[in-house]
Amino acid sequence: MKGRTIILDHIQGREAAALMVDGVLDDFLIAADAPAPGTIYRARADRPVKGQGGMFLTTPDGPMFLRQVKGLVPGSLLLVQVTGYAEPGKAIPATNRILFKSRYAIVTPDAPGLNISRRIRDEDVRDQLLEIAHEQMGDSPHGLILRSCCQGAEAEEIAEDISAMLALAEQVLSDSGTEPELLSEGDGPHILAWRDWTDPAEVVTASGGFEDHGVLDALETAQGISEALPGGGHLYIQPTRALVAVDINTGADTSLAAGTKANFACAKTLPRALRVRGLGGQITLDLAPMPKKDRRGFESALRSAFKSDPDETILAGWTPLGHFELQRKRGRIPLTEILK
């Protein structure tokens, strides 16, 4: 099945969204019990953690942890936004640099100015978008970023998006409450799919879409540890308490170039495999044997593959034992913790 298909459905009573690309599950979003990234709270500073340069915060939904808290004293009230999911037994990560993000527009209270995505290079289009931005933002002190998907979109839709995000920002930032409180919930899977999967695609909303389009079979594979590589071989992906271990196996290929081919296939497959499984944190790759001269090419292939991935991933580099390490944002809860 060729092309892109977005399927909006439910699984085990949870709202979920799947992106299929040429018949392969490319991304999967599912509602979790924890507060979703993007959720905004009025929080109270609780106690500093000097060794980590941060502060524990009190919110209605449990403790949060905020880094870089210079000048913040216990007892103070502040607005914070959830940035990801917590590791088991740890506080929810948060930031005080709040963003109001939608499909076309991002309102940035801490970064004034009107900005257009660099991916939009047509000067006429950029000028038209700036006109829309100036008209909608008026004399607002907040900043605005217009996303790349504005190119080709209707001016009215862009204007409505800017207006909605600006109104939400003004509502939240003008809050004058005196106790910890939930102010704005983060987007659920269906809204996130509309917001972030912006390339042209068929959209399926009928109940049973996951079964009809092969999503359930793909999820069964994603809940296991094995991921087939194009051209043969497998990835074995095993989360542990400390890190995610990834082993690259060449399979039946016994040629001299088998290790190199499997490692480069891993570079292309790994972002999707981690994304669908919802895995982040420290990731260690136990690569198949390959000449050291191929390491630079492997790094380039890996960097290119992660470039379009929505969750920030840092390529940390090689270990003395020849493993390759990555650090990936915990932007999702592992699939196996939700679909049990």
Side-chain angles (χ1 to χ4, degrees):
M1 182 172 59
K2 296 295 183 180
R4 293 169 59 90
T5 306
I6 295 172
I7 306 102
L8 308 180
D9 204 347
H10 290 74
I11 184 170
Q12 294 184 5
R14 297 176 184 271
E15 182 179 296
L19 173 63
M20 300 292 286
V21 178
D22 296 336
V24 176
L25 182 60
D26 189 75
D27 205 348
F28 183 73
L29 304 169
I30 185 168
D33 296 326
T39 301
I40 301 172
Y41 291 91
R42 183 195 316 115
R44 176 178 287 117
D46 189 357
R47 57 186 177 87
V49 185
K50 293 183 179 179
Q52 298 181 37
M55 178 84 73
F56 281 109
L57 311 174
T58 297
T59 78
D61 293 324
M64 293 191 175
F65 185 74
L66 176 67
R67 297 187 183 277
Q68 299 176 340
V69 293
K70 186 176 181 180
L72 184 63
V73 297
S76 302
L77 290 174
L78 69 161
L79 298 183
V80 294
Q81 188 168 43
V82 176
T83 59
Y85 290 103
E87 299 177 57
K90 295 189 177 181
I92 301 168
T95 180
N96 56 0
R97 295 184 176 274
I98 296 174
L99 299 176
F100 299 88
K101 185 175 182 179
S102 189
R103 182 180 178 94
Y104 300 112
I106 305 173
V107 172
T108 59
D110 294 319
L114 305 181
N115 299 279
I116 312 296
S117 169
R118 293 180 182 178
R119 294 185 181 180
I120 300 177
R121 298 180 179 179
D122 187 303
E123 290 301 325
D124 290 338
V125 173
R126 294 180 69 86
D127 289 343
Q128 292 169 6
L129 292 175
L130 278 175
E131 288 181 11
I132 297 171
H134 278 290
E135 182 178 347
Q136 295 300 315
M137 295 296 289
D139 57 359
S140 171
H142 308 316
L144 176 72
I145 300 171
L146 290 182
R147 305 178 68 194
S148 59
C149 60
C150 288
Q151 186 160 339
E154 295 292 333
E156 184 177 346
E157 292 182 346
I158 298 171
E160 289 178 355
D161 221 23
I162 297 172
S163 178
M165 288 302 98
L166 182 58
L168 178 60
E170 290 175 344
Q171 175 188 337
V172 170
L173 297 173
S174 63
D175 168 75
S176 58
T178 58
E179 294 295 330
E181 184 181 349
L182 169 64
L183 299 179
S184 177
E185 293 187 352
D187 292 331
H190 291 181
I191 296 297
L192 275 176
W194 169 80
R195 192 186 84 181
D196 292 339
W197 298 345
T198 57
D199 289 342
E202 176 190 1
V203 179
V204 176
T205 59
S207 178
F210 283 169
E211 183 174 4
D212 295 341
H213 289 79
V215 176
L216 297 183
D217 291 338
L219 289 176
E220 187 174 344
T221 298
Q223 291 179 76
I225 65 170
S226 178
E227 183 80 25
L229 291 173
H234 287 82
L235 295 180
Y236 292 93
I237 305 173
Q238 294 184 281
T240 71
R241 184 171 179 83
L243 51 81
V244 177
V246 180
D247 180 61
I248 293 87
N249 187 295
T250 60
D253 190 345
T254 58
S255 67
L256 290 175
T260 299
K261 288 191 294 185
N263 292 338
F264 276 72
C266 161
K268 294 181 179 179
T269 303
L270 186 62
R272 181 188 60 78
L274 295 174
R275 185 167 61 240
V276 168
R277 287 169 171 79
L279 297 177
Q282 298 179 46
I283 300 164
T284 298
L285 309 183
D286 183 10
L287 298 167
M290 72 175 178
K292 283 190 175 181
K293 65 181 178 63
D294 291 329
R295 285 186 173 186
R296 181 172 295 180
F298 171 78
E299 287 185 58
S300 296
L302 199 61
R303 185 172 292 105
S304 177
F306 276 108
K307 190 173 182 180
S308 60
D309 193 74
D311 290 328
E312 180 183 5
T313 302
I314 298 171
L315 306 189
W318 300 91
T319 73
L321 292 177
H323 298 149
F324 193 87
E325 295 183 327
L326 307 93
Q327 180 72 38
R328 181 174 171 80
K329 179 181 176 181
R330 295 181 186 274
R332 307 178 184 189
I333 290 182
L335 185 65
T336 53
E337 292 185 17
I338 299 179
L339 300 181
K340 298 179 181 178

